């Protein structure tokens, strides 16, 4: 079977299933696991070169709507009549369902079901552990600095926060992505600032500039030095690797 993935999270689901050998091409941002780096690159996930995709003669294309702007990829796939499925998870349970869906699409429904159940079991263990935490740290996740975008209630990072025994300070907003302001973040006074700027490598993020925002030196997180540069690849992609990110967050927060 010849499979093309045009979104990093889809590539990571295939890897979670142990099926990277079926991949014949991926988007430019698919960088895990290491073996996919040698595959043909088909362009940025918001601007896939469909001519290159068609040249690979795929039996299946794993498409996505996880980032605004990916709609044009779907339209191009339909226009060319290329075989595809679309993944668009916002929650951990939806990621589990997508693991099962991809397993079925790759011709191994039992594998998909088993791996989905493994993923759910790992989540359940963290949920039990989170219930034993004595305090509930308040987290501010920053996806983009100006204008500020942060995950709301309908996003996996709210669940990841809860599984680490913490809470997302913008879980009050019933959306997946929420645009806010520096003043609103200051008013909510988080215990931790988690920087996960989409598409920006960790070494290019500068916490010292965040600390200089007007009035932020009064926030608990800044006073205590709890400002963290987090790996975008472990928190901004709806894939099983979120559990790796959860493990790192758990260590940062302590028991």
């Amino acid at each position: 079977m010849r499979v093309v993935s045009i979104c990093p999270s889809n590539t990571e689901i295939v890897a979670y299933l142990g099926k990277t050998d079926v991949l014949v091409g991926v988007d430019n941002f698919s960088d895990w696991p290491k073996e996919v780096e040698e595959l043909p690159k088909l362009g940025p996930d918001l601007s896939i070169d469909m001519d290159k995709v068609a040249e690979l003669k795929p039996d299946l294309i794993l498409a996505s709507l996880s980032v605004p702007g990916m709609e044009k990829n779907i339209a191009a796939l339909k226009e060319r009549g290329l075989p595809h499925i679309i993944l668009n998870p916002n929650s951990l349970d939806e990621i589990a369902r997508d693991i099962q869906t991809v397993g079925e699409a790759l011709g191994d429904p039992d594998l998909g079901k088993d791996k989905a159940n493994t993923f759910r079991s790992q989540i359940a263990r963290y949920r039990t552990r989170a219930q034993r935490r004595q305090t509930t740290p308040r987290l501010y996740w920053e996806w983009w600095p100006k204008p500020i975008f942060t995950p709301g209630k309908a996003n996996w990072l709210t669940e990841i926060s809860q599984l680490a025994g913490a809470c997302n300070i913008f879980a009050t907003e019933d959306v997946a992505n929420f645009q806010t302001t520096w003043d609103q973040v200051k008013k909510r006074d988080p215990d931790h600032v988690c920087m996960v700027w989409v598409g920006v490598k960790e070494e290019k993020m500068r916490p010292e500039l965040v600390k200089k925002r007007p009035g932020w030196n009064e926030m608990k997180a800044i006073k205590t030095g709890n400002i963290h540069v987090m790996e975008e690849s472990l928190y901004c992609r709806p894939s099983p690797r979120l559990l790796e990110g959860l493990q790192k967050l758990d260590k940062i927060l302590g028991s």
Side-chain angles (χ1 to χ4, degrees), residues 26-234:
V26 294
D27 65 281
N28 288 7
F29 298 133
S30 285
D31 54 7
W32 189 92
K34 194 170 182 63
E35 56 260 33
V36 306
E37 294 178 2
E38 305 303 319
L39 293 172
K41 300 294 185 177
L42 305 171
D45 56 3
L46 291 179
S47 186
I48 297 294
D49 187 332
M50 290 300 169
D51 288 334
K52 287 186 177 180
V53 173
E55 287 171 6
L56 292 172
K57 295 181 170 53
D59 300 302
L60 177 67
I61 299 156
L62 301 177
S64 175
L65 286 171
S66 63
V67 177
M70 287 181 167
E71 296 83 1
K72 66 179 182 179
N73 290 334
I74 308 303
L77 290 170
K78 290 179 178 178
E79 183 179 344
R80 290 169 177 263
L82 294 170
H84 66 278
I85 61 173
I86 304 167
L87 307 180
N88 186 25
N90 274 311
S91 69
L92 297 179
D93 188 60
E94 288 174 351
I95 292 171
R97 290 206 300 267
D98 282 351
I99 292 169
Q100 190 164 345
T101 296
V102 174
E104 292 171 355
L106 298 183
D108 199 336
D110 289 340
L111 174 65
K113 185 176 180 179
D114 287 346
K115 295 295 283 186
N117 287 338
T118 297
F119 182 71
R120 291 187 179 103
S121 295
Q122 291 175 292
I123 292 169
R125 285 197 294 273
Y126 271 99
R127 185 171 290 117
T128 299
R129 184 179 179 187
Q131 292 170 352
R132 297 197 293 266
R133 183 180 282 279
Q134 298 299 310
T135 60
T136 305
R138 303 175 71 254
L139 313 183
Y140 163 61
W141 295 92
E142 185 165 287
W143 263 346
W144 197 249
K146 195 174 182 181
I148 282 184
F149 278 92
T150 186
K153 180 181 179 180
N155 183 269
W156 57 82
L157 282 182
T158 291
E159 291 182 85
I160 291 295
S161 301
Q162 293 168 345
L163 291 170
C167 69
N168 170 14
I169 62 170
F170 283 96
T172 53
E173 311 305 320
D174 199 17
V175 291
N177 307 290
F178 184 68
Q179 184 174 344
T180 187
T181 64
W182 292 351
D183 282 343
Q184 284 299 313
V185 176
K186 177 187 169 185
K187 287 178 183 177
R188 300 193 186 209
D189 198 15
D191 298 306
H192 295 261
V193 171
C194 301
M195 298 170 61
V196 283
W197 295 353
V198 178
V200 179
K201 294 294 184 182
E202 294 81 60
E203 59 270 19
K204 293 188 177 181
M205 290 190 274
R206 299 178 63 187
E208 64 271 20
L209 295 182
V210 173
K211 294 175 184 178
K212 292 179 180 178
R213 292 174 183 173
W216 276 38
N217 61 331
E218 301 169 17
M219 294 195 315
K220 292 176 187 174
I222 306 303
K223 286 180 178 179
T224 56
N226 286 323
I227 178 167
H228 316 288
V229 174
M230 317 287 270
E231 295 97 324
E232 182 251 9
S233 61
L234 297 183

